[in-house]
Amino acid sequence: MDSDKTETVAPMPAGAGLLKAGRFAGRAEFEQLIRDTFSRAAIEGWPEIIISDASFEDWPLRERVVVDALQSWSKTGRHFTILAKRFDSVQRYQPRFVTWRKTWSHIIECRQITSADPLDFPSAIWSRGWVMQRLDLARSNGMCGPEPDRRVALRELLAERLRGSSPGFAATTLGL
């Protein structure tokens, strides 16, 4: 069906309004927001995405729908930054995402802060037009939306964390 081709989508940042705005609560809603975010990013062609979490253990990155959306989003000129305390659970439990990351390593930057407190690590998605931040990790509650103040505040927090990070999660492993 050609419904995707006939859908009218406003340019960034106004198009981000098609995503949920306001509070979200619970793991199911959090996971759906992630699916919806990457789908919307593919439809609208967001130029930059930053995701951040201590481990990404409870993100649905292993799901085909998420990786398919990221695959649709992936194009030259796009940039994807991943910030984590550690990437071992991503490598262990998110195989589809790991394969996608290897394929698109030229547009993906993986950074880590191994000394960070996992409870103080931002769990968030940032884009130029919409953001999501999980404020209560245990209950997966937080806020999301396209408001400029929210986007700027989260971008500043992530920029600060990125300054203190180092490269992590290599796309390939060299060995003898």
Side-chain angles (χ1 to χ4, degrees):
M1 186 171 179
D2 290 335
S3 62
D4 290 340
K5 292 180 182 176
T6 61
E7 182 179 349
T8 303
V9 178
M12 289 293 284
L18 299 172
L19 287 166
K20 179 180 176 66
R23 294 187 145 312
F24 64 90
R27 186 169 175 168
E29 191 171 6
F30 167 70
E31 288 177 349
Q32 190 59 49
L33 271 173
I34 293 168
R35 291 180 199 105
D36 294 346
T37 299
F38 294 137
S39 177
R40 184 58 37 200
I43 291 168
E44 295 179 1
W46 295 0
E48 181 179 13
I49 299 171
I50 300 172
I51 63 173
S52 173
D53 193 80
S55 67
F56 294 100
E57 285 177 1
D58 54 354
W59 288 51
L61 301 176
R62 72 188 134 295
E63 294 179 4
R64 182 177 304 279
V65 68
V66 170
V67 174
D68 287 349
L70 286 168
Q71 180 66 27
S72 294
W73 171 83
S74 306
K75 292 188 178 23
T76 301
R78 306 271 165 90
H79 189 74
F80 193 89
T81 303
I82 307 168
L83 177 64
K85 176 178 173 56
R86 62 182 205 276
F87 287 102
D88 58 329
S89 63
V90 172
Q91 293 168 315
R92 204 173 297 129
Y93 303 117
Q94 314 271 15
R96 282 190 179 105
F97 183 80
V98 171
T99 300
W100 174 80
R101 183 264 185 280
K102 286 179 184 176
T103 302
W104 291 96
S105 62
H106 58 286
I107 66 168
I108 301 169
E109 180 180 13
C110 296
R111 309 288 298 178
Q112 66 183 27
I113 308 173
T114 56
S115 61
D117 179 353
L119 297 176
D120 191 36
F121 209 94
S123 181
I125 298 174
W126 178 91
S127 74
R128 293 180 185 175
W130 185 87
V131 297
M132 180 276 297
Q133 185 171 11
R134 193 164 46 156
L135 303 171
D136 180 348
L137 299 178
R139 294 177 186 84
S140 289
N141 298 337
M143 298 291 292
C144 58
E147 301 84 8
D149 292 346
R150 184 184 319 277
R151 292 192 329 258
V152 169
L154 183 57
R155 181 65 174 124
E156 288 174 355
L157 171 65
L158 293 174
E160 177 185 327
R161 297 300 175 95
L162 285 165
R163 277 190 294 277
S165 69
S166 60
F169 187 19
T172 60
T173 307
L174 299 176
L176 297 175

